[in-house]
Amino acid sequence: MTSKIYPDAASALKGLTRDGMTVMAGGFGLCGIPENLIVALRDSGAKDLTVIGNNVGCDEHGMWLVLANNQIKKVLASYVGENKILESRYMKGEIEVEFNPQGTLAERIRAGGAGIPAFYTRTGYGTKVAEGKETRQFNGEWYVMETGLTADVALVKAWKGDAAGNLIYRKTARNFNPMIATAGKVTIAEVEELVPVGALPPDQIHTPGIFVKRIIQGKDYVKHIERRTTRPRGSK
């Protein structure tokens, strides 16, 4: 079997990046984001990207780096706060943003990974979210049809992974990563700890290695805080 292990993020992306491609990236805010792979995506120089994920990073961190480098033309996300560049470019008509209710986005990704082309949900019916979409009534309630999502490349971050690509996520860093891992034509994982096959308890694996084509040992992780909120000492 050809090894799935690559020495670094740049080599893991080599031969996959191109202008106009669709990229999914795991994470919720800055929690569980594939930091090394995002930097390598920026350094690849690929343009006119469509990026799918919960958000587009926040100022100076995460997918913001790719956005600030003028590489993104369209975003599918559920949260776009903490990102002044995205706000500015969207208001100027320089970038397209497709807003999704968070649960709907998660299910669209899960559906895409499961080979389900579309599904119906009550979320968004009667709002702008439903404009231009097929609607249908079931048992007296109206539903909106949403399509499944897939990507040319999916980038995920895990706590531990093995040489076969099996992944375990840690606590809330799990977030969108398991769904995204299934929805890419090629899924690349970066992990905090890369272990030999057999070192991970089989019943604790969140993403089976069959979904992961390439894997790297991440490095230089820093726990950034999106919005620092403090109060004077002694206050209640």
Side-chain angles (χ1 to χ4, degrees):
M1 183 179 70
T2 303
S3 175
K4 295 182 178 183
I5 301 174
Y6 284 71
D8 52 44
S11 62
L13 277 171
K14 188 174 181 179
L16 299 177
T17 55
R18 57 177 172 78
D19 292 351
M21 69 186 296
T22 299
V23 180
M24 280 187 189
F28 186 93
L30 296 180
C31 179
I33 63 172
E35 300 173 33
N36 291 266
L37 290 169
I38 288 173
V39 170
L41 178 63
R42 177 199 63 187
D43 294 345
S44 75
K47 300 283 188 181
D48 298 324
L49 303 176
T50 295
V51 172
I52 302 171
N54 179 64
N55 58 292
V56 198
C58 67
D59 295 338
E60 309 291 340
H61 304 296
M63 195 58 74
W64 180 94
L65 300 172
V66 182
L67 176 69
N69 204 36
N70 299 311
Q71 293 172 261
I72 301 176
K73 72 169 184 179
K74 182 177 180 179
V75 169
L76 285 80
S78 63
Y79 180 70
V80 294
E82 323 299 337
N83 197 317
K84 296 182 180 64
I85 290 180
L86 182 61
E87 176 189 6
S88 174
R89 291 185 181 169
Y90 174 67
M91 297 301 289
K92 293 176 181 177
E94 297 173 350
I95 191 170
E96 183 181 351
V97 178
E98 183 178 325
F99 295 98
N100 290 256
Q102 195 164 86
T104 298
L105 179 64
E107 182 62 10
R108 291 184 72 188
I109 296 169
R110 191 203 67 81
I116 299 170
F119 61 92
Y120 288 94
T121 176
R122 289 179 63 188
T123 304
Y125 177 77
T127 72
K128 285 187 174 294
V129 169
E131 289 183 2
K133 297 177 182 177
E134 179 183 325
T135 58
R136 187 172 174 181
Q137 194 173 36
F138 297 92
N139 300 319
E141 298 286 353
W142 282 97
Y143 290 75
V144 181
M145 191 183 80
E146 297 283 358
T147 55
L149 294 172
T150 58
D152 297 302
V153 175
L155 310 177
V156 299
K157 161 76 182 302
W159 177 37
K160 294 182 179 181
D162 66 20
N166 298 303
L167 306 177
I168 294 176
Y169 309 100
R170 187 173 186 272
K171 299 184 178 181
T172 57
R174 189 169 174 177
N175 53 62
F176 278 77
N177 282 295
M179 292 84 79
I180 285 177
T182 69
K185 294 178 182 176
V186 177
T187 293
I188 308 173
E190 69 173 72
V191 298
E192 295 181 29
E193 187 177 343
L194 186 58
V195 301
V197 173
L200 302 178
D203 60 349
Q204 292 183 20
I205 289 171
H206 299 131
T207 294
I210 192 171
F211 292 109
V212 178
K213 297 296 189 294
R214 302 181 180 188
I215 189 169
I216 66 165
Q217 168 77 63
K219 62 180 182 178
D220 302 328
Y221 291 117
V222 178
K223 185 178 176 65
H224 297 290
I225 298 174
E226 292 174 61
R227 182 182 297 177
R228 188 179 298 275
T229 303
T230 62
R231 60 186 177 186
R233 290 182 179 274
S235 62
K236 295 182 179 180

